[in-house]
Amino acid sequence: MVTITIQELTKRFSGSVVLSSVNLQIESGELFFLLGPSGCGKTTLLRHIAGFYTPDAGKIWFDDEDVTRLPAHKRGTGMMFQSYALWPHLNVAQNVAFGLEERKRPRREIEHRVSEALEQVKLDGLGSRKIQQLSGGQQQRVALARALVIRPKCLLLDEPLSNLDAKLRLEMRTEIRHIVKQHGLTAIYVTHDRDEALSMADRMAIMDAGKLIQVGAAPEIYLNPATRMVAEFIGETNFVEGRTLRESSRAGFYDVETPFGVLRGRTNDATWQPASGQPVMMSVRPEALTFGSVLDSPNRILGRIIDTTYLGASVQYLIQVTGGPQIKVCETNPQDIRLPGEEEVRVMAAMGDVVILRK
Amino acid sequence: MSKTLSLLIFLGMTAFFACFFAYPIWAALESAFRGPDHQFTLEYVSEVFLNELYRDGLWNSFIIAVWTTLGALCLALPLAVCYVRFAFPGRALMNSLVLIPMILPPFVGAIGIKAMLGQAGALNSLLIYLGMMDAMHPTDWLGQHRMLGIIIMEVLHLYPIIYLNAAAALSNLDPALEEAAANMGCNAWSRFWRVTLPLIMPGIFAGGTIVFVWSFTEMGVPLLFDYDRVTAVQIFRSINDLSGNPFPYALVAVMLVFSTLFYLTGKLFFGSANSGGGGRATTGRETIPLPSGLGWVCTAFFAGVTFLAVLPHLGVVLLSVSKDWYGTVIPHALTLEHYRNALGHELTLSSIANSLKYSTLAMLVALVLGIGVAYVSVRTRIWGRQILDAMAMLPLAVPGIVLAFGYLAMTREGQPFHWLMLGEDPLLLLVIAYAVRRLPYVVRSAAAGFQQVSPTLEEAAQNLGARPEKALWRITLPLVAPNLVAGALLAFSFAMLEVSDSMILAQQATYFPITKAIYSLVLSLGSGPNLASALGVWAMIFLAVTILGAGVILGKKLGALFRG
């Protein structure tokens, strides 16, 4: 398995910058996610690694080998395309065998490895089927088998689950992660679905407008988002603007003045100490807010419920903060459901759940 | 539209097709298989195969068709790949330029080729001038290689059909399918053979079949090359003793059977192999910019092919303005006399008037039928509407000469449709023949129009109180009008230059349409070929203007009309 190193990668399409000085190292055997809104450049980055694009500047390394100018067919990556890109003129087994034939493997070995690969994706016995006779989920498995059978240096997955229905998508998440780990593959997975990234990734990179915004493991990014964009993209959140007052009596926590009172929170970056009077942004996740009491926290917010959405496993409330913005509160395993009304309610948040971001 | 009206249209169409498409084919076949005492016989057909002359004709037609198709493929496929894959200077312009040959009547071009490749033609003169040929013993290019001349002419005329089909198939191909092959370690060359070509095969096949059947049954070009050893010309030559002679019919039957067989075999091997299944394209195809040297090579390739294909017609233009063109590269002296004379000649004026009359009427008939078929097949859910649509496209696959003979057979004395003859006047027959042959173009362009105009627009009109017929008239028809006009223009201009029906169905000079007039002028002595060229140039100008008009109205969709 290779370590993939990307240095200062830059690409322009007809004048507009789609990748801007991207630096990234993906470790051997890592399941790495490229996550971002559509048009952020994540697929473009993946296609550079596959060799379908040549960068305007920068380099790509597979271990010690500079592959920047190496054509796609010599890179030895296995890619799963969003549309699967299964060849309709070949049957299932022929599709899977293609890469091995190109590698001039002996016929016997090809047969053996193809049936092995089909077995692994639970399609044993379907080798002679036509592509058109398969369901979407089966086609997806053929595409996976085709990419795996060549024992690729790295596996590239371009939104592989986006054409499946919700239930199948959940199943395949576990399965793909299982297969990738079983083979110890270096894998890069492009998606715009944060749940996929959070549930599967060893590490992930959040991209926006051609730049890497933040790289890290899922909890790191969820709990310490580098920017407002990351905080918003990786999960639902409430933003509150304010000014830092001072460092609080508790080390590492800061008091921030808002129109509806003072909130105490922590910064997203331990090395950063906001100066007093500095305008900042705070992110508080809906599930961090509760109607109950939180010990040892000064964070009380008063307001009234203006909307209630029942979701079964949880209830979402929209609250108009007295003298402040509207915030979302999410209560899991709800016992009694509060209805919108005029009476004032109080919600609380732990100090660690109020994350101060640079504005 | 009310159900009754749809049903009425459906029944009307079916009846028309039964009478003027199915029945004539049946009539031609019947004459081929029915003996003097009205029994079924294989005697005439087997005689065709026993007779060396006929066998030879069939074989030659087959050879011509094979080489024409291969030649057109070799020319069109690289062009299509270049166009779809690469960005090069003048790409859009070149894409239109290479289509020009399709609208130039090949049998007019044949006159030009003769002028250039003849013993005292332009090519020999050039070679002699360059000292590469002995002036005393010029090569008789066409004398020995007339078949080659025919093949060249037909390749240069028909390659755009394959080009359009291949280019469409290529640009519809999901680029991810090729990228997946590259990802699996397949280099560009092997990628083309293992993935791209098999996937665009149905498209190539669709175009190839039209070219094959077209060249297999082409009559005009061999006729002008004086090449009698092909079936189509043999059929034409035997037309004079038609009444008692079953052999032309037997030949027609054999020709139809062969065309159908070729078509079905091809379909079996290439047609159905793969359709869809590739998922939706996720990445748009980007054209690869070429380094400027290679880019210009591409441009030169397109320009060269176009020039080559237009060359015969340039010869025609030169011939039409030359006083005397004999033994020189270009004519000695130029004159406009032939144009004047052409307009004064008794045959030309009447033939132009005849062609205008036949083609206009045929266009109207095709338009009415085409709108009907397209409407029923796109907008209604009547059982059998797909069959009707498929039937309307069949004339593309059935050789014109077969239909022409069918019309002859079904209007013989004593036959139920004898009254169509109007004495000796072929007006009705030619109008019907032209209309049926060009119906596919009208149907496709009208159907495309109906598909683009959402039925909800019409429903909104009905919702506001318009009767269904009124809604169709006020909303849908104006919206599809551009498609209808374009289809009609195509039908009209192709009717103006139709060869096989015109040659076979118009027997008296006063009823000759343009094409037959050109043919008989070529045969006449003196300045005949010059006059024919002048008439041909008139016709080409005419055709160019109408097609250009259709192109402007239809835009890029023009190409869609020629896809099988």
Side-chain angles (χ1 to χ4, degrees), chain B residues 21-221:
Chain B
F21 185 70
Y23 182 66
I25 292 176
W26 166 251
L29 289 178
E30 194 193 20
S31 313
F33 290 104
R34 180 166 289 184
D37 37 5
H38 296 278
Q39 291 151 333
F40 175 80
T41 172
L42 284 173
E43 190 192 328
Y44 307 133
V45 173
S46 55
E47 183 61 29
V48 165
F49 289 101
L50 293 176
N51 184 320
E52 200 188 327
L53 205 64
Y54 291 152
R55 222 165 47 213
D56 205 31
L58 277 172
W59 180 245
N60 285 334
S61 302
F62 178 73
I63 294 292
I64 289 179
V66 168
W67 284 109
T68 302
T69 311
L70 284 178
L73 201 60
C74 291
L75 214 52
L77 200 54
L79 283 174
V81 171
C82 282
Y83 173 69
V84 176
R85 292 287 158 82
F86 304 125
F88 51 87
R91 180 168 170 268
L93 176 70
M94 289 299 148
N95 180 42
S96 327
L97 276 186
V98 291
L99 299 183
I100 290 179
M102 189 165 50
I103 62 167
L104 298 174
F107 90 115
V108 175
I111 308 173
I113 279 217
K114 277 168 80 176
M116 287 189 290
L117 294 186
Q119 250 180 320
L123 178 65
N124 281 358
S125 310
L126 182 69
L127 290 174
I128 292 168
Y129 178 77
L130 293 174
M132 289 163 73
M133 184 183 283
D134 181 1
M136 291 298 103
H137 304 284
T139 313
D140 184 3
W141 299 99
L142 294 177
Q144 288 143 17
H145 310 286
R146 264 181 303 183
M147 201 200 239
L148 184 68
I150 295 169
I151 292 171
I152 291 176
M153 195 60 230
E154 291 186 17
V155 165
L156 291 178
H157 174 233
L158 296 175
Y159 78 85
I161 294 179
I162 297 187
Y163 172 80
L164 283 169
N165 281 282
L170 273 171
S171 45
N172 287 338
L173 194 63
D174 183 354
L177 292 173
E178 287 160 3
E179 287 167 2
N183 180 250
M184 290 287 109
C186 195
N187 65 33
W189 180 248
S190 140
R191 215 145 64 217
F192 181 78
W193 290 106
R194 292 196 63 185
V195 175
T196 313
L197 198 58
L199 286 173
I200 63 170
M201 217 50 207
I204 293 179
F205 166 72
T209 314
I210 297 182
V211 171
F212 192 94
V213 171
W214 194 315
S215 49
F216 182 65
T217 59
E218 168 72 34
M219 185 168 89
V221 177

Side-chain angles (χ1 to χ4, degrees), chain A residues 216-352:
Chain A
E220 220 173 302
I221 291 180
Y222 194 82
L223 297 175
N224 300 304
T227 66
R228 181 188 169 128
M229 178 264 154
V230 174
E232 209 166 20
F233 194 79
I234 201 70
E236 280 220 69
T237 194
N238 298 299
F239 289 117
V240 181
E241 292 181 38
R243 266 170 206 283
T244 322
L245 280 178
R246 63 190 96 79
E247 191 163 0
S248 71
S249 50
R250 297 278 299 273
F253 290 94
Y254 298 86
D255 286 341
V256 179
E257 185 180 29
T258 72
F260 53 93
V262 174
L263 291 180
R264 181 173 291 177
R266 60 177 175 87
T267 58
N268 63 345
D269 176 357
T271 60
W272 173 50
Q273 298 179 335
S276 50
Q278 184 176 353
V280 293
M281 174 74 70
M282 281 169 296
S283 158
V284 189
R285 304 245 177 239
E287 71 271 16
L289 290 162
T290 170
F291 292 104
S293 300
V294 179
L295 290 175
D296 195 28
S297 171
N299 297 327
R300 288 182 187 77
I301 300 170
L302 299 176
R304 55 190 174 82
I305 298 172
I306 56 176
D307 193 37
T308 302
T309 310
Y310 180 69
L311 292 169
S314 63
V315 185
Q316 279 185 0
Y317 298 98
L318 188 62
I319 292 177
Q320 176 67 57
V321 175
T322 313
Q326 292 181 352
I327 58 171
K328 283 168 287 191
V329 173
C330 176
E331 212 177 31
T332 47
N333 194 17
Q335 296 308 314
D336 60 323
I337 296 150
R338 295 157 197 265
L339 296 175
E342 286 305 315
E343 74 203 272
E344 209 167 46
V345 294
R346 183 203 69 181
V347 291
M348 290 194 72
M351 296 189 298

Side-chain angles (χ1 to χ4, degrees), chain A residues 47 73 77 79 87 101 103, chain B residues 177 179 182-184 194:
Chain A
R47 291 171 63 82
H73 66 272
T77 66
M79 179 149 168
W87 302 297
E101 286 164 7
R103 281 163 180 71
Chain B
L177 292 173
E179 287 167 2
N183 180 250
M184 290 287 109
R194 292 196 63 185

Side-chain angles (χ1 to χ4, degrees), chain B residues 1 14 61 88 90 94 104 159 180 194 273 279 287 290 293 317 343 362 421 437 468 472 484 509:
Chain B
M1 187 183 281
T14 316
S61 302
F88 51 87
M94 289 299 148
L104 298 174
Y159 78 85
R194 292 196 63 185
T287 50
L290 289 175
V317 174
L343 290 182
M421 275 304 232
R437 293 280 308 283
L472 176 67
L484 298 182

Side-chain angles (χ1 to χ4, degrees), chain B residues 24-25 27-34 43-45 47-48 51 54 58 219 230-257 400-406 408-409 412 504 507:
Chain B
I25 292 176
L29 289 178
E30 194 193 20
S31 313
F33 290 104
R34 180 166 289 184
E43 190 192 328
Y44 307 133
V45 173
E47 183 61 29
V48 165
N51 184 320
Y54 291 152
L58 277 172
M219 185 168 89
V230 292
T231 310
V233 174
Q234 285 169 344
I235 294 174
F236 176 69
R237 294 285 189 222
S238 58
I239 202 164
N240 294 329
D241 51 11
L242 193 64
S243 44
N245 186 354
F247 286 109
Y249 290 109
L251 277 173
V252 164
V254 170
M255 190 170 242
L256 178 65
V257 169
I401 204 169
V402 172
L403 270 182
F405 263 74
L408 272 190
R412 273 177 305 185
I504 290 167
Q507 295 296 344

Side-chain angles (χ1 to χ4, degrees), chain A residues 190-239:
Chain A
V190 162
T191 183
H192 60 258
D193 182 333
R194 63 191 179 211
D195 293 338
E196 247 165 67
L198 288 171
S199 62
M200 295 172 72
D202 291 331
R203 281 197 310 149
M204 65 178 88
I206 311 285
M207 293 185 68
D208 190 29
K211 291 196 176 78
L212 287 190
I213 308 296
Q214 191 175 7
V215 180
E220 220 173 302
I221 291 180
Y222 194 82
L223 297 175
N224 300 304
T227 66
R228 181 188 169 128
M229 178 264 154
V230 174
E232 209 166 20
F233 194 79
I234 201 70
E236 280 220 69
T237 194
N238 298 299
F239 289 117

Side-chain angles (χ1 to χ4, degrees), chain B residues 105 107-112 114 224 313 315-322 337-343 345 347-348 351-352 497 503 513-541:
Chain B
F107 90 115
V108 175
I111 308 173
K114 277 168 80 176
L224 279 197
H313 298 89
V316 175
V317 174
L318 276 181
L319 202 59
S320 74
V321 295
S322 65
E337 200 184 331
H338 303 305
Y339 286 89
R340 229 179 5 258
N341 289 347
L343 290 182
H345 196 281
L347 211 49
T348 36
S351 71
I352 291 178
L497 288 159
M503 290 288 196
I514 289 180
T515 40
K516 189 144 189 180
I518 291 179
Y519 175 64
S520 61
L521 278 175
V522 169
L523 292 186
S524 62
L525 296 172
S527 62
N530 301 74
L531 285 180
S533 299
L535 189 52
V537 171
W538 280 123
M540 285 194 285
I541 291 173

